[in-house]
C-alpha cells in the first residue's frame, strides 16, 4: 500500500468517552502530521512528529488530546472525555521534505 | 505565515477552463505557492506548486505574476469529477516541520 491509511473511517461515541485513532504512514515518510477539519473549513494543524519525536503541538490540542508515534512508524491520536465540540474529521498526513503532503482519508468523529 | 484570499465558490460547466485566483499580498521571499484539491470525505490532495511564472503538470497550470502577490490555478476542460474544494497555500515546502495553513478554500461546482 502506497498511501496513508487511517482507522477507523468513522467513529460515533458518547460524550465523555475516550476514543483513539490510528494512522499508518507511507513507510519512507519520516514526518507525520495530524490535522482537524470541521464542516466548511480547511484543515487545522494539531501536531507534528519527526520520526518518533513530537516536535510541535497546536494550542488547539488541549490536555484531553494526546498523540504518539512509537518507533517512528504508525501514530495514534487519543481524545479523552470527548465533548461535542470534538466532532470533526481528523486527518493524518505524511511527507518527507519533497513537494506536497500525502493525506489519509481521515477519521470522522461524531460525539453524541 | 502569509494569509491567502480566495473566492468562496465558483460554478462552471463541463468542458470549460476554470481559473481560480488566490491573493497573497504578504507572501515572503522564500514562500512557494501550493494548491490542494479535496473531495468530500477525503483528505486534501496535492495538485501543483510553484514559485514564479508558470508551472504546468498533467492536472493543472499555475500562473504567478512577477510581484507574486497573487496566483491563478487553471484547470483545463473540467469534468464533473473536478467538483471539489480547492485550497491555495503559501509557505516554504522544504522547511523543517513545515505545517500547512489552510483557508476555507474555493468550492468548485462543475455542472453538466
Amino acid at each position: 500500500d502506497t498511501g496513508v491509511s487511517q482507522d477507523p473511517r468513522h467513529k460515533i461515541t458518547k460524550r465523555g468517552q475516550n476514543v483513539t485513532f490510528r494512522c499508518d504512514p507511507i513507510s519512507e515518510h519520516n514526518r507525520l502530521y495530524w490535522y482537524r477539519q470541521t464542516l466548511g473549513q480547511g484543515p487545522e494543524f494539531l501536531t507534528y512528529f519527526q520520526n518518533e519525536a513530537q516536535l510541535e503541538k497546536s494550542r488547539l490540542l488541549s490536555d484531553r488530546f494526546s498523540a504518539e508515534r512509537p518507533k517512528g512508524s504508525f501514530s495514534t491520536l487519543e481524545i479523552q472525555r470527548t465533548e461535542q465540540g470534538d466532532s470533526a474529521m481528523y486527518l493524518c498526513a505524511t511527507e518527507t521534505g519533497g513537494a506536497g503532503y500525502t493525506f489519509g482519508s481521515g477519521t470522522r468523529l461524531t460525539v453524541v | 505565515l502569509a494569509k491567502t484570499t480566495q473566492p468562496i465558490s465558483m460554478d462552471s460547466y463541463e468542458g470549460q477552463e476554470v481559473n481560480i485566483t488566490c491573493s497573497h499580498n504578504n507572501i515572503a521571499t522564500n514562500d512557494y505557492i501550493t494548491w490542494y484539491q479535496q473531495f468530500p470525505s477525503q483528505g486534501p490532495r496535492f495538485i501543483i506548486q510553484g514559485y514564479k511564472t508558470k508551472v504546468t503538470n498533467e492536472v493543472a497550470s499555475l500562473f504567478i505574476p512577477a510581484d507574486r502577490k497573487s496566483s491563478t490555478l487553471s484547470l483545463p476542460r473540467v469534468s464533473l469529477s473536478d467538483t471539489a474544494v480547492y485550497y491555495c497555500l503559501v509557505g516554504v515546502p522544504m522547511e523543517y516541520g513545515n505545517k500547512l495553513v489552510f483557508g476555507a478554500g474555493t468550492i468548485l461546482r462543475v455542472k453538466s
Side-chain angles (χ1 to χ4, degrees), chain A residues 47-67:
Chain A
T47 190
Y48 150 66
F49 291 85
Q50 171 85 14
N51 299 313
E52 67 275 10
Q54 187 174 17
L55 298 184
E56 188 172 350
K57 293 192 289 186
S58 162
R59 285 173 293 179
L60 294 174
L61 215 64
S62 75
D63 291 343
R64 298 184 296 105
F65 288 70
S66 62

Side-chain angles (χ1 to χ4, degrees), chain A residues 10-94:
Chain A
H10 304 276
K11 178 70 176 178
I12 300 174
T13 190
K14 292 183 178 180
R15 189 173 52 186
Q17 297 295 304
N18 299 342
V19 294
T20 300
F21 311 139
R22 177 178 170 125
C23 171
D24 286 278
I26 295 172
S27 59
E28 62 268 25
H29 286 192
N30 54 6
R31 297 176 193 165
L32 185 148
Y33 302 77
W34 284 97
Y35 286 79
R36 181 175 71 184
Q37 185 174 25
T38 54
L39 198 62
Q41 301 299 317
E44 297 172 292
F45 170 78
L46 291 179
T47 190
Y48 150 66
F49 291 85
Q50 171 85 14
N51 299 313
E52 67 275 10
Q54 187 174 17
L55 298 184
E56 188 172 350
K57 293 192 289 186
S58 162
R59 285 173 293 179
L60 294 174
L61 215 64
S62 75
D63 291 343
R64 298 184 296 105
F65 288 70
S66 62
E68 294 182 342
R69 193 183 182 197
K71 303 179 183 178
S73 55
F74 71 92
S75 176
T76 58
L77 178 68
E78 181 184 14
I79 309 174
Q80 296 181 326
R81 304 181 303 282
T82 52
E83 302 172 356
Q84 287 188 321
D86 297 330
S87 295
M89 173 80 84
Y90 290 85
L91 293 160
C92 175
T94 66

Side-chain angles (χ1 to χ4, degrees), chain B residues 64-81:
Chain B
I64 306 168
D67 66 5
R68 304 199 329 120
K69 293 184 182 300
S70 66
S71 59
T72 299
L73 174 72
S74 181
L75 304 172
R77 297 180 299 282
V78 294
S79 64
L80 294 175
S81 63

Side-chain angles (χ1 to χ4, degrees), chain A residues 9 31 33 35 37 40-43 45 48 50 55-56 89 91 95 97-101 103-105, chain B residues 34 36 38 40-46 49 87 93-105:
Chain A
R9 289 296 311 276
R31 297 176 193 165
Y33 302 77
Y35 286 79
Q37 185 174 25
Q41 301 299 317
F45 170 78
Y48 150 66
Q50 171 85 14
L55 298 184
E56 188 172 350
M89 173 80 84
L91 293 160
E95 58 99 11
Y101 284 29
F103 280 85
S105 294
Chain B
T34 310
Y36 282 80
Q38 187 176 26
S41 299
Q42 293 188 25
R45 182 176 74 103
F46 172 86
Q49 183 178 80
Y87 296 98
M94 303 296 184
E95 191 173 62
Y96 183 81
N98 177 41
K99 54 184 180 288
L100 302 177
V101 179
F102 289 84

